[in-house]
Every structure is written in C-alpha cells, then in structure tokens.
C-alpha cells in the first residue's frame, strides 16, 4: 500500500522552522568549533607560556642554604660558624594579585570579599592593602612607614627588607603576618656567619663576603673545604599563599661544608694574647709580636700581636697581621744564619779564637766601622754569639762571603714566604745585587735584611729540629660531616744545615742564656737557649736610623735536650728610663720566659683529639 503524500500546506508552514533549526545548528557547530579551536590553542600552542605564568604565580623555587663549615681551635672551641637565620622580602606578583589581596583585605576589615568588591575598585583595594602591610611592617622594622610603602609599591620583582633575622624572631613575625593577614611579604631561610672568638685571632680567621665566601684569612685559605653545596626545593602555593604539601616537587638536600680545626688551642692563645697586651702597654711599644711554634712539626701553637683588630677600640685597631705582614730588621738574632754558614762550610771552628777588639773596630779595606757594647777581647766562636759581638761576627762573615751568606739566608727561608697560606704574607727582602761595603758589614749582624716574625721563628725552629726547616702548620685537620678527618701532616721544606751544625748552634744559644746577654730568659729547672736582638729603628720616610729608638727581640727554644717549643718575642720602639736600658735581653727575654713556661705547662696536658681518618686526602 502506498504512503500518503505529505500535506504541502503543512510543509510550507514548517519551512521557516526548519530554516531556524538549521541556522541554530550552524551557530552551535560554529560555537563548538571555536571553543575547540581555542582549547587547542591553549593546550598546545600557549601551554608553555601559560604554564610559566602559573608557575611564576603559584610555584616557588626555594634554595636550601648549605652551612659553611665551622672553624674551630685544636680542642674544638668554635671560632667561626654559621647560624640559621631568615630574611624578609617582598613578592611583587603576590602584592598585586587583586583577587587574593581583596580576600585578605576583606578579612582585615571583617567583611566579605564580594561586599568589598562592590565598594572599592581594584586600584583602591591595592592601595588600601599596601597601606595596611606598611603599617604592620613599620612596627617591626627599623625604617619609616613611608619608606616601606615605597618598597612595597616598587616595580622590582623582589626587595629584601631585613636580613639575619634570628629564628625566634622569624617565628614571631610569621605568626604576626598570619594574624594580620599579610600576603606578599615572605620569610625564607638563610645563614649568617658568626664569630664567637670576637677580636681573638680575628686577623688569622679572616672574614666572609655577602655570599658567605671567604675573603681573607683562614676563611679564604680553606674556602673550598668550608663551602657547602646548597640544596633546593620546589613548592606550590594556593591563591592565599599557603603551601600545598601534596604538590611538593624536587627536593635536594644541602651538603654542608667541612669543619676546619686549627693547630692553635685558644686556652694557650688567650694566655699569650694577655702577655702580649700587657707587654705592649707596659713598655709603651709601637707594636709587640709573639709567635710560638712546635719545631719538630712546624705547628703554630699561638700567635699574638698588638695593635690588632680591636672592634671595641677602633682608634688603635689595625688590619695588619704583624706576624706575617710586617717586615723589620732582626738585628743580632739573625747572627745564627752567619754562624750556620761558617760552621757548615768549616770556615771556623767552635773553639777558634776571634779578636773582638776593644769595643770599636774600623776595617781599612772596606772602610766600615763597627762597635760592641763592651770590650770583649779574644773570644771563641761561641763567645762571639754568647756576648753578641758585632765585631767578631763581621770578621767571621768575611770568611763566608756574599754568595754563601745569601745562600744560607735563603735556606733558612728568608726572602720567600713561609707557605702558611694566609693572604698578605710578605717574603721579606734581601739584597741580591752587588753588595756595598756597608752591606758586607751590616747583613751578617741582622741589618739591611727585612724579615717577618714568622720567618724568624721558623728559622730558629730549623735549628731546634736538627737543621730541617718545616713549613708552618696552621691547619691541624678538616673534619667532614660524617666524622672522617683529613689530617694536615707536617711538611719538611729542606735541610738548612747539617744536624751537627744545628747541635752546635743549640749549644751556643744555651750559652747565651747561661753566660751571656740572654740571662733573663732563664727558667728554673728548664734548659733554655736563645738569642737577644737590639736593632736601631729605621725611618723609611726620612731614610735614616732614628737616634735612641730600638727594636728589641728574643728568639729561642726549650727544653734544650729535646726542644718542644720555639718562641719569638719582638717589641718595636719600647720605652725605658734610659735608651741604654732598651735591650733585647732586658725587655724581650723575660717575656719569652713567661710565654715558654706557660706553653710547656699547656703542652703537658694537651691531648690529641679522637677522629676517624679518611682513606685519602689531606688538608691544604
């Protein structure tokens, strides 16, 4: 049966409806196509840009600071260490996030965000919130509210408002920010370098820069060992600025730096510092330097100088470490170098007699004059040193000659740095060119040669150590976080003179104390040896020696049967009732005795520290 034909009249009536339905379908298809195209653009083409924008707004890369290793003394007392602190900074993105800012401002005013939106525009909302933040910060920061307001409104992505905030204060501030609905002002962890030693050893320890890297001193010398490797962490915050723990990203734990232990024990160092301070003031000297070492290892046991870096008294404070960075003419304590050259090369015999004359001597060939403090007549080679005869030493030096004299001075370490590793160490000065007649007569007795106190102390250490010069050892060990240690072993430099010559010189030096100019260095029950030195002060500006002003010194060792301690004491321009009383034997020798006695008492109770030794490596 055939189908009935559609009603043509009805079809004509429905045709407009069909057109509208078709049009609507086309519009819907176009709309869906447009949305699909836009989604494709967002998800594919603009995905990296939008992801970066979201990450900038909500994700944070936090650097986890690594602690710089501590510097400790031999027994473990902290001399420099890192302390956990925080710093306060602005976040421009958060401070201008209008939706979040509106919610926080609404909470401050006790109204709903929607209500605030109806009453205040975006700019007005930001201004009101920034004013609130500045007012709160002005109550805790040492800067006026107007200045803080300017920092908050800055176009810079970040501005640090406060540094080195102690942990307790940081916790208090964090609680305050939460209470006052502060958003866009954050605290982050960092570290600050602290120096509990204060002025003690300050010119040895050094300092760090703003990035916590060593600038000078031990901080610079051991920077590679002390510096740790920072860690990192990625976190994500919600629109209110709160961290979302579930979305924490990569976490790398920081590797803290190793601890550096000095050879110096602060108990002894403090004692030597006190002696140095007292001697400096009592003698009204321009400067006073004391260096104490262990001859067999080159270990520096103590070093003190005045003036020094005194933060409490900046008028007399100095940045010069006089132990390594101050040249001076050593005078008679340098005579051991002349004798070492003569004895080593058999130019003289210890018992040979030398005519020291009647206080005054003139060499007609070189046209030079020399004098002694008293008539000494005929003296053995030992007696020349015991009584510190300039005339006798000059006559011995004529047998040595320039080349041999310079050779032995260099062997003892003069003219080059000791290698202690501290920045600013001077090499001293020797006349390596053609000598004048004056130089021939002056260098053998300690003039026309510049040395540092450390060089002089190490030279006497070589005599105490069988003729072997040691590199000064300031770093004892480097201890890693796992407890293993890198030991800094003693390092011989070279053989300066034969062991026999060194033994002969030690006998001569003991004679200086028992029979000669160094009697005030004697100690009951302890065999002491050393040499006095009294040098006229040279004024480099006027280029001449100053009348009746002197540099006094004493360098020596104890006990003589097996020297454990070498000590140098030097005072620049000390004062006395009479210029004739300004002598190394009268001023420096008693100070030497006090220091050595304290050092020997200290070494008697000093114990080696326990640690695990690493398989490889050594401190630099």
């Amino acid at each position: 049966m055939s189908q009935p034909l559609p009603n043509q009249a009805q079809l004509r009536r429905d045709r407009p409806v069909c057109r509208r339905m078709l049009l609507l379908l086309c519009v819907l298809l176009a709309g869906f196509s447009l949305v699909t195209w836009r989604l494709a653009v967002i998800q594919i083409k603009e995905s990296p840009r939008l992801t970066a924008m979201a990450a900038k707004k909500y994700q944070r890369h936090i650097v986890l600071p690594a602690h710089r290793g501590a510097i400790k003394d031999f027994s473990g007392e902290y001399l420099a260490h890192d302390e956990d602190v925080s710093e306060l900074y602005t976040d421009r993105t958060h401070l201008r996030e209008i939706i979040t800012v509106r919610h926080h401002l609404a909470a401050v005013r006790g109204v709903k965000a929607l209500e605030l939106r109806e009453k205040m525009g975006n700019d007005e909302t930001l201004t009101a919130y920034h004013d609130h933040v500045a007012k709160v910060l002005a109550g805790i920061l040492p800067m006026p509210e107007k200045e803080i307001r300017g920092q908050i409104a800055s176009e810079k992505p970040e501005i640090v408002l406060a540094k080195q905030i102690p942990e307790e204060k940081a916790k208090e501030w964090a609680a305050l920010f939460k209470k006052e609905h502060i958003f866009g002002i954050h605290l982050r962890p960092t570290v600050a370098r602290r120096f509990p030693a204060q002025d003690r050893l300050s010119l040895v320890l050094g300092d760090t820069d703003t990035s916590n890297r060593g600038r000078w001193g031990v901080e610079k010398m051991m920077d590679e060992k002390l510096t740790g490797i920072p860690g990192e962490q990625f976190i994500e915050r919600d629109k209110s600025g709160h961290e979302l723990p579930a979305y924490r990203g990569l976490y790398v734990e920081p590797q803290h730096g190793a601890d550096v232990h000095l050879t110096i024990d602060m108990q002894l160092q403090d004692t030597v510092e006190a002696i140095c301070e007292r001697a400096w003031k009592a003698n009204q000297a321009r400067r006073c330097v004391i260096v104490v070492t262990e001859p067999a290892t080159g270990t520096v046991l103590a070093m003190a100088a005045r003036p020094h870096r005194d933060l409490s008294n900046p008028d007399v404070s100095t940045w010069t470490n006089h132990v390594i960075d101050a040249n001076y003419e050593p005078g008679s304590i340098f005579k051991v170098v002349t004798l070492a050259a003569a004895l080593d090369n058999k130019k003289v015999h210890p018992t040979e007699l030398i005519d020291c004359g009647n206080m005054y001597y003139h060499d007609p060939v070189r046209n030079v004059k020399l004098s002694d403090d008293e008539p000494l007549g005929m003296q053995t080679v030992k007696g020349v040193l015991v009584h510190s005869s300039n005339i006798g030493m000059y006559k011995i030096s004529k047998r040595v000659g320039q080349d041999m004299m310079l050779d032995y001075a260099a062997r003892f370490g003069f003219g080059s740095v000791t290698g202690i590793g501290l920045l600013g160490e001077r090499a001293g000065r020797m006349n390596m060119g053609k000598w004048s007649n004056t130089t021939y007569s002056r260098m053998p007795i300690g003039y026309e040669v510049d040395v540092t106190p450390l060089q002089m102390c190490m030279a006497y250490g070589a005599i105490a150590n069988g003729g072997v010069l040691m590199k000064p050892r300031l770093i004892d060990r480097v201890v890693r976080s796992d407890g293993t240690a890198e030991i800094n072993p003693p390092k011989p430099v070279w053989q300066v003179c034969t062991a026999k010559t060194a033994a002969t010189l030690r006998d001569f030096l003991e004679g200086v104390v028992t029979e000669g100019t160094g009697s005030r260095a004697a100690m009951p029950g302890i065999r002491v040896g050393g040499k006095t030195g009294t040098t006229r002060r040279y004024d480099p500006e006027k280029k001449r020696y100053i009348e009746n002003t002197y540099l006094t010194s004493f360098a020596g060792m104890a006990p003589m049967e097996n020297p454990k301690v070498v000590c140098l004491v030097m005072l620049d321009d000390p004062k006395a009732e009479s210029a004739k009383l300004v002598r190394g034997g009268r001023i420096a020798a008693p100070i030497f005795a006090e220091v050595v006695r304290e050092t020997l008492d200290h070494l008697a109770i000093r114990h080696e520290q326990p640690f695990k030794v690493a398989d490889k490596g050594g401190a630099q």
Side-chain angles (χ1 to χ4, degrees):
M1 190 174 78
S2 61
Q3 294 287 335
L5 294 173
N7 188 317
Q8 295 300 317
Q10 184 65 36
L11 287 175
R12 284 193 298 272
R13 287 195 300 272
D14 292 343
R15 192 170 294 144
V17 176
C18 291
R19 290 195 194 99
R20 287 195 293 273
M21 291 178 65
L22 183 61
L23 179 61
L24 179 60
L25 178 61
C26 290
V27 170
L28 289 174
L29 286 173
F32 280 120
S33 298
L34 182 62
V35 170
T36 303
W37 173 79
R38 185 56 184 160
L39 286 174
V41 170
I42 292 173
Q43 292 294 328
I44 299 173
K45 183 178 179 180
E46 296 190 9
S47 177
R49 182 179 67 85
L50 296 174
T51 301
M53 288 177 61
K56 182 179 180 182
K57 186 174 182 180
Y58 295 112
Q59 291 182 358
R60 286 292 176 270
H61 173 231
I62 299 178
V63 176
L64 303 175
H67 281 200
R68 184 175 178 83
I71 300 176
K72 303 179 182 181
D73 79 340
F74 182 80
S75 61
E77 178 183 337
Y78 281 91
L79 306 178
H81 65 89
D82 274 0
E83 180 181 298
D84 288 321
V85 294
S86 298
E87 62 182 16
L88 186 71
Y89 67 99
T90 65
D91 186 318
R92 180 180 177 277
T93 303
H94 284 174
L95 286 169
R96 283 163 176 72
E97 174 51 55
I98 185 61
I99 296 176
T100 309
V101 166
R102 184 178 290 117
H103 277 84
H104 283 278
L105 183 60
V108 170
R109 299 191 172 186
V111 298
K112 293 182 178 180
L114 185 60
E115 180 182 343
L116 194 66
R117 180 180 179 182
E118 293 174 352
K119 293 181 178 180
M120 301 174 68
N122 290 350
D123 291 343
E124 189 179 0
T125 299
L126 290 174
T127 300
Y129 183 68
H130 292 172
D131 289 341
H132 167 69
V133 172
K135 184 177 181 180
V136 173
L137 293 180
I140 60 174
L141 296 178
M143 67 174 72
E145 183 177 335
K146 184 177 180 181
E147 184 179 347
I148 296 174
R149 184 65 177 78
Q151 303 278 41
I152 294 172
S154 173
E155 293 299 317
K156 295 181 180 179
E158 176 185 300
I159 294 178
V160 176
L161 299 175
K163 296 181 178 181
Q164 299 191 17
I165 306 166
E167 284 189 287
E168 289 301 319
K169 183 175 285 189
K171 291 178 182 177
E172 293 175 6
W173 287 9
L176 175 65
F177 296 162
K178 184 176 182 181
K179 177 184 175 182
E180 296 292 341
H181 301 281
I182 300 297
F183 177 73
I185 305 294
H186 302 296
L187 289 158
R188 64 185 168 206
T190 183
V191 293
R193 198 66 169 166
R194 303 299 188 208
F195 295 89
Q198 298 179 339
D199 293 336
R200 303 181 303 163
L201 275 183
S202 59
L203 293 175
V204 173
L205 297 176
D207 204 350
T208 56
D209 58 21
T210 54
S211 61
N212 213 22
R213 298 301 298 264
R215 292 195 303 167
W216 52 281
V218 175
E219 293 278 17
K220 176 67 174 179
M221 179 173 69
M222 302 301 294
D223 188 61
E224 184 178 343
K225 301 289 184 181
L226 289 165
T227 302
I229 302 175
E232 60 180 345
Q233 183 179 15
F234 289 87
I235 65 170
E236 190 164 328
R237 302 179 186 272
D238 60 18
K239 65 179 182 179
S240 299
H242 301 120
E243 182 187 350
L244 300 173
Y247 292 91
R248 282 181 181 171
L250 175 68
Y251 174 79
V252 178
E253 189 172 352
Q255 299 178 30
H256 301 307
D259 293 343
V260 171
H261 290 251
L262 305 184
T263 57
I264 294 173
D265 193 313
M266 290 308 295
Q267 183 179 354
L268 176 62
Q269 177 68 24
D270 288 343
T271 300
V272 174
E273 292 263 10
I275 295 172
C276 186
E277 178 87 13
R278 188 166 63 248
W280 178 52
K281 291 181 177 179
N283 293 283
Q284 303 176 47
R286 292 175 183 264
R287 53 183 171 149
C288 178
V289 181
I290 301 175
V291 186
V292 187
T293 64
E294 183 180 64
T297 61
T299 296
V300 177
L301 298 174
M303 57 169 71
R306 293 294 185 277
H308 67 145
R309 187 184 176 194
D310 187 355
L311 301 180
S312 63
N313 194 1
D315 291 338
V316 296
S317 186
T318 180
W319 286 90
T320 300
N321 184 346
H322 294 287
V323 175
I324 62 170
D325 190 21
N327 290 337
Y328 74 103
E329 288 181 310
S332 292
I333 60 175
F334 191 80
K335 291 175 180 177
V336 293
V337 178
T338 307
L339 278 180
L343 291 167
D344 234 17
N345 292 278
K346 297 180 173 52
K347 300 297 183 181
V348 292
H349 188 274
T351 59
E352 179 182 347
L353 292 176
I354 306 293
D355 184 5
C356 298
N358 190 26
M359 285 185 66
Y360 302 102
Y361 174 76
H362 174 251
D363 185 341
V365 177
R366 289 181 175 157
N367 192 28
V368 293
K369 297 178 180 180
L370 293 104
S371 63
D372 288 330
D373 285 346
E374 59 181 334
L376 294 173
M378 300 299 293
Q379 293 286 335
T380 63
V381 173
K382 178 180 179 179
V384 170
L385 187 68
V386 166
H387 300 289
S388 198
S389 172
N390 294 330
I391 297 170
M393 196 59 62
Y394 169 65
K395 290 183 176 181
I396 292 172
S397 73
K398 291 174 69 175
R399 305 183 191 183
V400 173
Q402 175 180 347
D403 292 342
M404 191 180 296
M405 189 72 206
L406 287 174
D407 177 41
Y408 271 79
R411 289 190 189 191
F412 273 100
F414 301 112
S416 58
V417 295
T418 64
I420 193 171
L422 297 174
L423 288 179
E425 183 183 11
R426 293 194 184 187
R429 181 188 61 84
M430 292 194 299
N431 186 351
M432 305 301 293
K434 183 177 177 58
W435 282 8
S436 66
N437 289 340
T438 303
T439 305
Y440 273 107
S441 66
R442 295 301 183 261
M443 185 172 174
I445 62 174
Y447 285 88
E448 293 198 25
V449 56
D450 287 340
V451 306
T452 67
L454 182 61
Q455 284 178 328
M456 205 73 239
C457 195
M458 300 310 296
Y460 270 73
I463 296 171
N465 191 38
V468 178
L469 180 68
M470 301 297 294
K471 181 178 179 181
R473 183 171 167 267
L474 181 61
I475 306 302
D476 181 67
R477 60 196 185 275
V478 176
V479 181
R480 303 189 188 96
S481 56
D482 62 1
T484 58
E486 299 176 12
I487 309 304
N488 183 25
K491 297 181 177 67
V493 180
W494 49 55
Q495 188 83 30
V496 175
C497 60
T498 65
K500 181 180 179 181
T501 296
T504 302
L505 289 173
R506 290 197 298 272
D507 176 62
F508 288 6
L509 292 173
E510 186 172 8
V512 172
V513 176
T514 58
E515 310 167 33
T517 59
S519 59
R520 286 179 171 83
M523 290 181 282
I526 300 174
R527 291 173 56 196
V528 179
K531 182 69 188 78
T532 57
T534 306
T535 318
R536 295 176 63 190
R537 292 190 74 252
Y538 182 79
D539 189 333
E541 294 182 0
K542 297 180 180 179
K543 296 183 178 180
R544 63 181 178 86
Y545 289 96
I546 310 299
E547 287 294 327
N548 296 324
T549 59
Y550 300 94
L551 242 146
T552 64
S553 56
F554 190 95
M557 61 202 70
M560 295 308 292
E561 59 270 22
N562 183 19
K564 300 293 185 184
V565 175
V566 170
C567 176
L568 169 85
V569 176
M570 185 274 284
L571 291 96
D572 184 358
D573 194 18
K575 307 299 187 294
E577 295 178 3
S578 166
K580 293 183 179 180
L581 298 178
V582 181
R583 294 292 182 268
R586 295 183 62 90
I587 294 177
I591 301 170
F592 165 89
E594 184 179 3
V595 171
V596 171
R597 183 170 56 250
E598 293 287 351
T599 303
L600 290 174
D601 289 344
H602 175 78
L603 291 178
I605 60 173
R606 173 163 161 155
H607 300 290
E608 297 296 324
Q609 300 299 307
F611 46 76
K612 295 180 290 182
V613 181
D615 292 336
K616 294 181 180 180
Q620 299 299 312

